Amino acid sequence: MKKITFYAMTLFVALVGSSVFAQTAQQNLDYAIQSAENIQQDTPAAKTAAVQLAKQIVLLNAPNAQQFYDAMFVQVNSIQNNSDDVDYFASLARTASQNAFSTASINAITAELVNLNDILIGLTFQINDALAANDNATALNLIPNVKSVLDQQYTTTTSLINEINSVATAIKTYNVCMKLVDHLGNPITYNDLHGYYAYNDANVYFYPENYGDCYSNLAPGTYTFRAYNGYFSGASATTVTLSDSLVNANGVIEVTLVYWSE
């Protein structure tokens, strides 16, 4: 009895440990997405400031240079800080993930955002200098360039969010545990089956952790779960497509096989 209890506890700890690693990686990628979304929330305000400056020049001949300057540097700081946060959380996710992945594609996009920042800073200074010299025409001609950079930052951030989501999908894993029931759906407390196995659509085979009842870190996909027959018993096969909707409160997908015995 002690041996069985120890085995069950060991299996539980192994599954919980792998689940924690997976959740930590996913959580950090979620934080990275939130940081990217902050950029998209801030960018429209910067674009509004550029449009407002154009109206002040054309309609009022009284541009508020400081207002424009302040709005652009709120955007610059948002890009810089949130891009740094994306890189930071992506790095944490890579460290925590049990499935190796590269952050290079994410880092390349955040670098592109920062490069666009440099262009925005340059344009902001040019407009500020033109307004200081009462050269409203030059300032007005530069505003479309500012709007173009802001649009690029917005669309680049969309690409960034898509890339993070792609990584999150690629490293997502599930823990799956088998449940035996009789033909009436009642749980089976004892069986003489010789273990379980599963295979996916590519006919790659998988086996439970320590030859127990649970599989850890299965990638998303469709799997057929089966049991090795006992001397006078067996179980039905079940095909399941793993998804978040199947995960129970314990963070596990439970797959039911119907047990039979002669």
Side-chain angles (χ1 to χ4, degrees), residues 111-121 149 152-153 156:
E112 183 179 350
L113 283 169
V114 173
N115 287 337
L116 289 169
N117 240 9
D118 292 339
I119 297 172
L120 182 61
I121 291 171
V149 171
Q152 289 179 65
Q153 287 182 326
T156 300

Side-chain angles (χ1 to χ4, degrees), residues 230-246:
Y231 291 108
F232 302 103
S233 64
S236 62
T238 299
T239 299
V240 177
T241 298
L242 305 184
S243 68
D244 291 347
S245 63
L246 299 178

Side-chain angles (χ1 to χ4, degrees), residues 38-183:
N38 289 339
I39 295 173
Q40 290 195 321
Q41 291 171 4
D42 293 339
T43 300
K47 192 170 181 180
T48 297
V51 172
Q52 186 174 11
L53 179 64
K55 291 179 179 179
Q56 291 169 347
I57 293 173
V58 173
L59 301 178
L60 304 176
N61 195 31
N64 189 330
Q66 189 63 49
Q67 183 183 56
F68 172 76
Y69 182 91
D70 290 344
M72 291 306 104
F73 275 89
V74 167
Q75 173 71 2
V76 166
N77 289 332
S78 175
I79 292 288
Q80 186 64 62
N81 293 335
N82 285 298
S83 293
D84 287 345
D85 286 346
V86 168
D87 287 341
Y88 172 71
F89 288 123
S91 178
L92 289 181
R94 181 187 61 193
T95 301
S97 177
Q98 291 191 318
N99 294 330
F101 71 93
S102 171
T103 62
S105 57
I106 294 173
N107 300 147
I109 299 175
T110 55
E112 183 179 350
L113 283 169
V114 173
N115 287 337
L116 289 169
N117 240 9
D118 292 339
I119 297 172
L120 182 61
I121 291 171
L123 289 169
T124 299
F125 280 131
Q126 290 179 57
I127 290 174
N128 198 56
D129 290 344
L131 293 176
N134 292 318
D135 186 359
N136 289 355
T138 295
L140 186 62
N141 288 334
L142 289 170
I143 290 175
N145 296 338
V146 170
K147 292 165 62 179
S148 176
V149 171
L150 293 172
D151 286 340
Q152 289 179 65
Q153 287 182 326
Y154 191 93
T155 56
T156 300
T157 304
T158 298
S159 298
L160 177 60
I161 292 171
N162 290 340
E163 184 60 28
I164 299 170
N165 277 322
S166 177
V167 169
T169 299
I171 69 167
K172 179 182 282 293
T173 59
Y174 296 99
N175 293 325
V176 178
C177 289
M178 311 310 298
K179 178 182 178 181
L180 283 179
V181 299
D182 62 22
H183 69 285

